[in-house]
């Protein structure tokens, strides 16, 4: 199959846009890509919003990698006289089927299961909610190696930190803070148990290699974190399986990014 001019343009534009955005920000590498979310909904915004597929450039992805294990290594406590206790908590749409609502998540394995419950489904109304001033660190493992993270954030008004982990749980590559100005419009809104009205959802795609500075090897685990100034990110995400065969143009786009990053590193070393 020949590669069309339009696909080359999409891939090159994606790569160039990511590279341009990596300069003039606080991040050492590229800061993500846009994607389109396709979903089924039932009684939205309080009910089910089921992820069907995403489109990145010309590539449509319908199969995803989900979280299979979690470790809460830190989670701020919040005043017990409020209805929302614990910096990060499991939340869901008021009328959404399945999912978990659980505040005051501790570092126990039992509470970590609440995180897995909400991040192991394709229901975009199963989320992790964070209090405005709360800080947390949560390590999440996928069932397979991933090459992209597809992240949704309710409100489009918070920051979220991520960094890749190796098989031993050590941080690798570069830490990335997704700042609140980077969220794109995901095209839907959600209303969960911890809020009184629907809020718009933002989205951003993160490539494991170009955005998190991973040069080689398989990545199955990601550390998510929030700090007190991040304004409480409320988030949901899935991964894309690194074993899938993407569109040639998509590969070309990230090959361009990888080459440019390698050139940038050589220039710094010179």
């Amino acid at each position: 199959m020949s590669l069309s001019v339009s696909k080359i343009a999409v891939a090159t534009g994606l790569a160039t846009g990511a590279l341009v955005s990596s300069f003039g920000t606080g991040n050492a590498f590229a800061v993500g890509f846009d994607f389109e979310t396709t979903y089924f909904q039932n009684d939205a915004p309080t009910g089910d919003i089921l992820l069907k597929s995403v489109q990145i450039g010309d590539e449509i992805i319908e199969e995803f990698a989900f979280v299979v294990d979690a470790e809460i290594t830190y989670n701020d406590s919040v005043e017990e006289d409020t209805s929302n206790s614990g910096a990060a908590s499991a939340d869901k749409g008021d009328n959404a089927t399945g999912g978990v609502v659980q505040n005051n998540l501790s570092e126990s394995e039992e509470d970590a299961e609440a995180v897995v419950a909400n991040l192991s489904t394709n229901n975009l109304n199963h989320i992790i909610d964070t209090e405005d001033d709360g800080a947390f660190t949560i390590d999440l493992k996928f069932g397979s190696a991933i090459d992209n993270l597809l992240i949704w954030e309710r409100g489009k008004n918070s920051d979220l930190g991520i960094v890749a982990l190796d098989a031993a749980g050590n941080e690798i590559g570069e830490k990335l803070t997704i700042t609140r100005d980077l969220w794109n419009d995901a095209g839907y809104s959600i209303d969960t148990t911890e809020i009184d009205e629907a809020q718009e959802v933002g989205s951003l795609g993160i490539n494991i290699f170009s955005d998190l500075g991973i040069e080689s090897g398989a990545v199955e685990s990601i550390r998510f974190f929030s700090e007190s100034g991040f304004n409480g990110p409320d988030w949901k995400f899935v991964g894309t399986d690194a074993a899938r065969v993407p569109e040639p143009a998509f590969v070309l786009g990230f090959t361009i990014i990888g080459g440019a990053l390698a050139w940038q590193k050589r220039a710094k070393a010179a």
Side-chain angles (χ1 to χ4, degrees):
M1 179 184 295
S2 62
L3 187 63
S4 69
V5 174
S6 61
K7 288 188 176 182
I8 293 175
V10 168
T12 305
L14 175 64
T16 303
L19 277 173
V20 169
S21 63
S22 70
F23 298 98
T25 73
N27 300 314
F29 291 87
V31 285
F33 57 88
D34 192 11
F35 63 88
E36 181 179 342
T37 305
T38 302
Y39 52 87
F40 299 108
Q41 60 181 357
N42 179 33
D43 195 26
T46 60
D48 297 326
I49 303 175
L50 304 177
L51 175 64
K52 177 184 177 184
S53 65
V54 300
Q55 183 167 345
I56 307 172
D58 281 358
E59 184 187 12
I60 296 176
I61 302 171
E62 296 180 320
E63 297 183 2
F64 304 100
F66 294 95
V67 167
V68 296
D69 192 27
E71 180 180 0
I72 304 171
T73 61
Y74 179 78
N75 193 27
D76 269 344
S77 60
V78 177
E79 308 298 343
E80 290 297 337
D81 59 355
T82 68
S83 60
N84 302 329
S85 56
S89 60
D91 196 17
K92 68 173 189 173
D94 297 80
N95 301 317
T97 57
V100 172
V101 176
Q102 185 174 338
N103 291 316
N104 199 26
L105 297 177
S106 70
E107 298 174 11
S108 69
E109 292 183 7
E110 291 77 12
D111 284 359
E113 291 176 1
V115 174
V116 175
N118 279 10
L119 297 179
S120 59
T121 76
N122 71 329
N123 196 327
L124 298 173
N125 222 349
H126 296 165
I127 67 169
I128 303 300
D129 176 277
T130 311
E131 300 311 305
D132 289 350
D133 295 325
F136 67 80
T137 302
I138 303 177
D139 297 348
L140 296 160
K141 183 177 181 180
F142 293 84
S144 61
I146 60 172
D147 54 3
N148 297 299
L149 277 171
L150 306 174
I151 307 173
W152 295 269
E153 201 279 323
R154 184 188 65 195
K156 300 189 292 185
N157 58 358
S158 303
D159 310 330
L160 179 64
I162 56 177
V163 62
L165 304 177
D166 64 16
N170 301 309
E171 294 184 359
I172 54 176
E174 299 287 335
K175 282 187 176 180
L176 175 68
T177 298
I178 303 172
T179 54
R180 64 201 73 182
D181 60 302
L182 295 176
W183 299 114
N184 301 299
D185 184 9
Y188 67 93
S189 299
I190 61 175
D191 183 353
T192 66
T193 65
E194 292 198 3
I195 59 176
D196 297 325
E197 59 184 12
Q199 294 181 347
E200 292 183 348
V201 174
S203 61
L204 189 70
I206 298 296
N207 181 262
I208 299 302
F209 303 101
S210 63
D211 292 335
L212 296 185
I214 304 302
E215 295 183 353
S216 62
V219 172
E220 294 188 19
S221 299
I222 302 290
R223 174 167 292 160
F224 284 72
F225 62 92
S226 177
E227 299 174 0
S228 59
F230 282 16
N231 197 41
D234 305 321
W235 44 283
K236 171 81 175 189
F237 68 86
V238 300
T240 60
D241 194 329
R244 81 185 195 288
V245 180
E247 286 281 342
F250 194 67
V251 175
L252 173 62
F254 285 114
T255 299
I256 294 171
I257 292 174
L261 289 175
W263 174 86
Q264 184 180 8
K265 288 183 178 181
R266 287 196 298 270
K268 287 182 178 179

